[in-house]
Amino acid sequence: DIQMTQSPSFLSASVGDRVTVTCRASQSISTYLNWYQQKPGKAPKLLIYAASSLQSGVPSRFSGSGSGTDFSLTIGSLQPEDFATYYCQQSYTIPRTFGGGTKVEIK
Amino acid sequence: EVQLVESGGGLVKPGGSLRLSCVASGFSFSTYSMNWVRQTPGKGLEWVSSISFSSNYIYYADSVKGRFTISRDNAKNSLFLQMDSLRVEDTALYYCASDGTGDFDYWGQGTLVTVSS
């Protein structure tokens, strides 16, 4: 199985900060990498697919980059509604696997 | 508006069975692959099973293979997960999710399965 490792696990930031979360795959997955946002008590929401494509309706302050084994999700200017947990997920092969999550908290 | 509504969760003893359902609306269900994904505080998000739009292709995580069965009824816009021989470690919030191109583009609100004696 492909292991997905996210860092950091926790991130403390302020409104307006530029925030970057990284995800590393245990083998090359080309650009078959997706990002989700999850708020407490809610289901995950797709933000970015295919490493860098913004899902419809997602604000443009979210962006994704990377290929191969190293990927990143960047929030250009953190907004109050962005405090949540973020997960990466590979869609290169079955079984689909997720990273352990990065919780973005208010500083 | 896309909606996925799961049901069927509950408390069951180890070795017992449950059948989860997910009713879809707001999109062309019969043309989408579908998935079950579960979440626990300890293990995070775990993909459980996928089924193609025509049910021709079905996949399972090793952790549930031989115990869980995914199925769908396109006429009723419904997805199912039959869970047999349940174990304590199957305790989780179970989500159904539509399949974009390997990503999970829409999710239900989840149904809680608790396996405990």
Side-chain angles (χ1 to χ4, degrees), chain A residues 41-43, chain B residues 4-9 20-21 36-37 92-96 107-113:
Chain A
K42 300 293 187 182
Chain B
L4 296 167
V5 180
E6 302 97 333
S7 61
L20 306 184
S21 299
W36 288 99
V37 178
L93 185 61
Y94 284 73
Y95 294 103
C96 70
W107 300 61
Q109 84 290 349
T111 186
L112 183 63
V113 172

Side-chain angles (χ1 to χ4, degrees), chain A residues 36-49:
Chain A
Y36 302 85
Q37 176 193 66
Q38 186 177 33
K39 297 181 179 179
K42 300 293 187 182
K45 172 189 172 184
L46 179 65
L47 296 177
I48 302 281
Y49 63 95

Side-chain angles (χ1 to χ4, degrees), chain A residues 15-31:
Chain A
V15 172
D17 284 354
R18 181 180 177 88
V19 166
T20 297
V21 177
T22 64
C23 178
R24 175 166 288 177
S26 60
Q27 67 182 73
S28 178
I29 58 171
S30 184
T31 57

